[in-house]
Amino acid sequence: MTSTVGVIGGGVAGLTAAARLARSGMKVELFEANDKVGGCCSTTDIGGYTFNDGALYLALPQMLDRTFAELGLDRQSVLPLQRIAAPQTTVLPNGDRVTFGGERRVSVDRRDGTVDERALQRELDAMMARWQPALRLLTDDILVRPLSLPHVLAKGWRQLPKFRGSVADELDRLFSDESVRAAMSGVLLYTGIPPQQQPVISILGLVTLFCDGFHLPVGGMGRVPEALSTVTVAHGGRIHLRHRVERIRVEGNQVRAVQIEGHDTMELDAVLSTVSGMLTYESLLSPEDSPRRLARKAKNAKLSHSAFSVQLGLRNHIDVPSHSNCHIPPMDHQDEVFTPCDNGVMWPVYDVPTVTLPALAPEGGSVIEMYPPVHRDLP
């Protein structure tokens, strides 16, 4: 008898799990509360403009290739990617302009004085020599197998001494130029944490930029869940949109069914929840069915940060040099980027994905993505 598995959540994790289970012969029922799949990796189309719903780009494309191959897909044919050729330009208060290109290119346009470009290149090469082995260990070994602490220690003990301190500490050690340090840390501000508080492992995001680059799926981030949905459905899986799971029903320590808001109860043999642990253990499972340790951990967990997104579809072409454009303070003051200001945005940080993919907007138009700081008490 074929088991029926319910998957809660139609984000990338839920869709990937559903596709794997369906390909293995399971009957799969996926429940998504919204009217489309993808979660923060979906897109919204309005008037010819394609807006990303959260995720802004793809890093580590080789990991995506591996996942798609396990699902029987050729990623290059079903999901073509465009590398972001001009990743970021940063403007500092002193007038310095730092530009990152692909393939380890950094240029500094300095209003007063010059930059020793050879020394800068040596520092960049030193960063890559120090951190690229750690990145490869993570992407080629640790992240592609079940997590095992003994395996991590056996493979990565040589890398462990590097993971001390903060991003700010590491950038101070690696780069002598203040404006370059500010631009480097600016790449990681998407975390919502100033560099002095970011664990040093976050620097791997910066290393990824210069190593594998950042990419956009042709057509927008929503093309990722579209491809995963196709696999699920092709192998008999069913995707239920506007189906919000209210409760996972457990009897005798065995999942029996899920209760869908506004719909009947659906009987299942197993449930895989890919929504947050806070929601799963505090709401979807009744207190007597939720493991105490996990329920306590979920209750005490804190969100990393929250953000407010503004996206604009403009009729004119925005002439900017890079995909991401930042006006930020020096590294030691970048906590100010997250501080709401009553008289406007002091430090604008915005992406223009139409620099990389012009087709995301009608001809001659532009799409702008911004995450301005807002007061938490605003509705």
Side-chain angles (χ1 to χ4, degrees):
M1 181 178 178
T2 302
S3 297
T4 302
V5 180
V7 177
I8 304 175
V12 170
L15 290 168
T16 303
R20 287 288 300 271
L21 291 168
R23 288 192 80 234
S24 70
M26 297 283 187
K27 293 178 64 177
V28 176
E29 307 284 350
L30 183 144
F31 308 104
E32 168 56 45
N34 297 304
D35 60 0
K36 59 183 174 182
V37 295
C40 66
C41 194
S42 57
T43 49
T44 298
D45 295 319
I46 301 176
Y49 296 86
T50 299
F51 300 101
N52 294 316
D53 290 349
L56 301 178
Y57 53 80
L58 284 167
L60 305 174
Q62 70 274 20
M63 294 194 67
L64 194 66
D65 293 348
R66 182 190 294 265
T67 299
F68 272 51
E70 291 177 356
L71 297 177
L73 295 175
D74 176 27
R75 197 276 308 158
Q76 294 184 5
S77 62
V78 301
L79 186 73
L81 302 180
Q82 178 67 47
R83 181 164 181 161
I84 299 175
Q88 180 165 303
T89 295
T90 302
V91 180
L92 283 302
N94 62 4
D96 287 0
R97 183 183 297 266
V98 182
T99 301
F100 295 156
E103 307 296 336
R104 301 193 190 185
R105 295 196 305 272
V106 179
S107 63
V108 182
D109 182 7
R110 174 148 291 163
R111 178 177 297 177
D112 299 313
T114 59
V115 174
D116 187 337
E117 294 184 358
R118 291 186 177 180
L120 174 57
Q121 188 61 53
R122 287 196 298 270
E123 291 172 346
L124 181 59
D125 291 341
M127 179 185 74
M128 299 301 290
R130 174 174 169 81
W131 286 103
Q132 196 167 349
L135 177 65
R136 289 297 173 230
L137 174 65
L138 192 68
T139 59
D140 297 346
D141 192 310
I142 294 175
L143 291 181
V144 297
R145 64 175 66 233
L147 183 61
S148 165
L149 183 58
H151 178 79
V152 171
L153 294 176
K155 288 286 188 175
W157 64 271
R158 291 185 178 85
Q159 308 296 330
L160 292 179
K162 302 176 185 177
F163 295 101
R164 298 173 180 168
S166 67
V167 165
D169 294 333
E170 186 69 4
L171 291 178
D172 276 333
R173 192 188 70 79
L174 288 169
F175 295 99
S176 58
D177 188 273
E178 181 182 13
S179 294
V180 172
R181 290 198 299 268
M184 293 285 182
S185 61
V187 172
L188 305 176
L189 291 178
Y190 68 86
T191 61
I193 306 172
Q196 291 76 18
Q197 299 175 23
Q198 285 184 40
V200 71
I201 193 173
S202 298
I203 204 169
L204 294 181
L206 181 60
V207 175
T208 299
L209 168 65
F210 291 107
C211 180
D212 301 305
F214 296 157
H215 300 74
L216 279 180
V218 175
M221 296 297 295
R223 294 294 185 263
V224 178
E226 285 181 14
L228 296 172
S229 299
T230 300
V231 179
T232 301
V233 174
H235 288 85
R238 297 198 300 174
I239 297 175
H240 305 274
L241 301 178
R242 303 183 190 89
H243 277 56
R244 182 183 299 277
V245 175
E246 290 184 320
R247 182 73 70 182
I248 301 172
R249 198 179 77 198
V250 179
E251 296 176 4
N253 292 325
Q254 176 69 43
V255 169
R256 299 298 181 186
V258 292
Q259 176 62 49
I260 311 297
E261 182 181 61
H263 298 270
D264 294 332
T265 298
M266 183 174 292
E267 295 186 359
L268 300 163
D269 299 306
V271 168
L272 176 62
S273 178
T274 65
V275 298
S276 72
M278 288 86 90
L279 178 61
T280 300
Y281 294 111
E282 292 191 306
S283 298
L284 299 185
L285 287 167
S286 61
E288 59 270 21
D289 295 325
S290 187
R292 292 183 179 180
R293 182 179 64 84
L294 293 177
R296 185 167 56 250
K297 187 174 183 180
K299 184 176 182 179
N300 296 331
K302 297 181 180 180
L303 293 175
S304 57
H305 68 286
S306 56
F308 176 72
S309 172
V310 175
Q311 299 197 51
L312 308 173
L314 305 182
R315 294 178 179 175
N316 57 308
H317 173 73
I318 302 299
D319 186 18
V320 289
S322 298
H323 182 98
S324 181
N325 303 271
C326 311
H327 294 256
I328 55 178
M331 185 175 71
D332 293 341
H333 298 277
Q334 286 180 0
D335 58 315
E336 298 174 14
V337 173
F338 309 109
T339 304
C341 184
D342 291 328
N343 59 352
V345 178
M346 181 176 295
W347 305 108
V349 177
Y350 61 96
D351 292 342
V352 185
T354 42
V355 170
T356 304
L357 293 178
L360 296 179
E363 186 175 357
S366 303
V367 172
I368 294 182
E369 304 167 330
M370 302 184 71
Y371 287 84
V374 297
H375 291 282
R376 298 298 177 99
D377 56 348
L378 291 176

